[in-house]
Amino acid sequence: MNDRSSKLPIAGDPLTDILRGLRLEGVEYGRWELKEPWNIEYPAQATARFYFVGQKACWLRQPSGEWVELECGDAVLLPRGVAHALASEPGAKSSPINGYEIQQICEKVFCLSTQGCRPGTLLFCGSMYFNLDGLHPLLGMMPDVMRTTELEAHDPGITHLLETMAREVKLERVGSAGIVARLADVLAAIIIRSWVERGCGDSSGWIAAVRDPKIGKVLAAVHLEPSRDWSVEVLARMMGASRSGFAERFAAIVGETPAKYVTQVRMHQARQWLVRDRLKISVVASRLGYESEAAFSRAFKRVIGLPPGHFRSADQAAG
């Protein structure tokens, strides 16, 4: 096997290298004009959810059941799309989001207006795909709810972006919805970057492993090129250690063997290819270097818990 480790663009901070590949892509957006009283229940979904309060405060019920007030100008990201509710006040009568009449105003942008007695909140919301698999350790470490109010003091650029969004949300000019949609994608990425730069809220676990000077470089390389056939010898050489010394140190810091970790990353990437890119199982197996589709399917089911055919069938049913 050719050793291409010298060609990998690993920088001084391995976490930065992993984040370089992190992207958000908006699936759909909405402009909600909500007259009081109102209370909308949102079910859990595979994509992230994003909200920006353009006018008048409202309340968010977190997965824990606790209600928190969102002020005008606040933005919130729910990176794993957990179930939650938004309301004019915690005691308002609730209804599921699919019970409302939603109109499409342009490609990927929708509008919802409610009937009520008093003028209420103006919300801009969005559903977004991460290009990372839902089982990626970075996504697993993110809190259920990420608010800009907790990050603005550490990232002044957020404030300027929020001010621009506020102006566009209140206008009904041609193209405003599309402009706010693009700003929402940027703001969501900045929220994640600011959270990471502040230490991810935790200095232990996977983040600590990534920030280890030697192991971190190895993890970054695996995440940047998951389709590469990584052997323990190549990874040990990258760290500058013997095969046994590397394997022992890796297991002690990461919590599992190098081979198991590499397989997990590869299968998470495989699921992305199957679900997001709709590739055939045979193509995914070939990309990952498996000699047969059957061998790939066994490895996939061992890590993900379901055969790859399950995701292809689900995708075809959705289509």
Side-chain angles (χ1 to χ4, degrees), residues 22-48:
L22 176 63
R23 293 189 304 279
L24 282 165
E25 179 182 355
V27 180
E28 62 182 29
Y29 308 90
R31 189 178 189 274
W32 290 179
E33 297 178 14
L34 305 163
K35 295 181 180 178
E36 298 180 355
W38 57 275
N39 186 338
I40 304 178
E41 296 276 350
Y42 291 86
Q45 65 178 32
T47 54

Side-chain angles (χ1 to χ4, degrees), residues 4-183:
R4 296 178 287 141
S5 59
S6 60
K7 298 180 183 179
L8 290 168
I10 305 300
D13 178 12
L15 185 56
T16 298
D17 284 295
I18 292 175
L19 285 173
R20 277 188 319 179
L22 176 63
R23 293 189 304 279
L24 282 165
E25 179 182 355
V27 180
E28 62 182 29
Y29 308 90
R31 189 178 189 274
W32 290 179
E33 297 178 14
L34 305 163
K35 295 181 180 178
E36 298 180 355
W38 57 275
N39 186 338
I40 304 178
E41 296 276 350
Y42 291 86
Q45 65 178 32
T47 54
R49 286 194 187 270
F50 172 88
Y51 298 103
F52 174 76
V53 184
Q55 175 181 293
K56 199 167 185 180
C58 63
W59 290 80
L60 166 70
R61 191 191 68 216
Q62 303 182 98
S64 63
E66 178 187 3
W67 288 90
V68 295
E69 188 174 19
L70 304 179
E71 299 289 346
C72 180
D74 276 354
V76 179
L77 177 68
L78 286 75
R80 288 184 297 279
V82 292
H84 60 286
L86 290 169
S88 56
E89 56 185 9
K93 182 181 178 181
S94 66
S95 301
I97 183 63
N98 57 15
Y100 289 87
E101 183 178 347
I102 300 175
Q103 298 179 334
Q104 184 170 357
I105 56 178
C106 61
E107 184 182 2
K108 298 202 300 184
V109 182
F110 300 83
C111 179
L112 181 153
S113 298
T114 62
Q115 301 297 320
C117 352
R118 304 185 302 276
T121 302
L122 177 61
L123 277 178
F124 187 84
C125 51
S127 290
M128 303 171 177
Y129 270 121
F130 282 95
N131 67 320
L132 299 179
D133 183 80
L135 297 178
H136 191 287
L138 184 63
L139 284 182
M141 291 187 66
M142 289 180 188
D144 288 330
V145 178
M146 305 170 77
R147 298 178 61 189
T148 52
T149 51
E150 300 165 356
L151 303 170
E152 282 186 80
H154 304 273
D155 197 333
I158 289 178
T159 303
H160 300 303
L161 196 52
L162 290 172
E163 291 171 351
T164 304
M165 287 192 70
R167 286 195 297 271
E168 290 292 336
V169 166
K170 292 176 183 178
L171 298 174
E172 294 191 30
R173 296 173 60 187
V174 174
S176 286
I179 290 172
V180 179
R182 301 287 77 78
L183 291 172

Side-chain angles (χ1 to χ4, degrees), residues 197-252:
E197 289 177 345
R198 291 178 59 205
C200 303
D202 187 1
S203 59
S204 62
W206 182 80
I207 289 293
V210 173
R211 286 181 166 149
D212 179 274
K214 294 186 177 180
I215 293 295
K217 184 169 67 172
V218 171
L219 294 179
V222 172
H223 281 276
L224 284 170
E225 284 194 284
S227 59
R228 181 176 174 183
D229 182 18
W230 293 106
S231 68
V232 175
E233 288 82 2
V234 170
L235 295 174
R237 196 179 311 134
M238 181 180 297
M239 198 180 89
S242 66
R243 188 180 185 280
S244 59
F246 161 73
E248 183 178 348
R249 180 172 174 78
F250 188 99

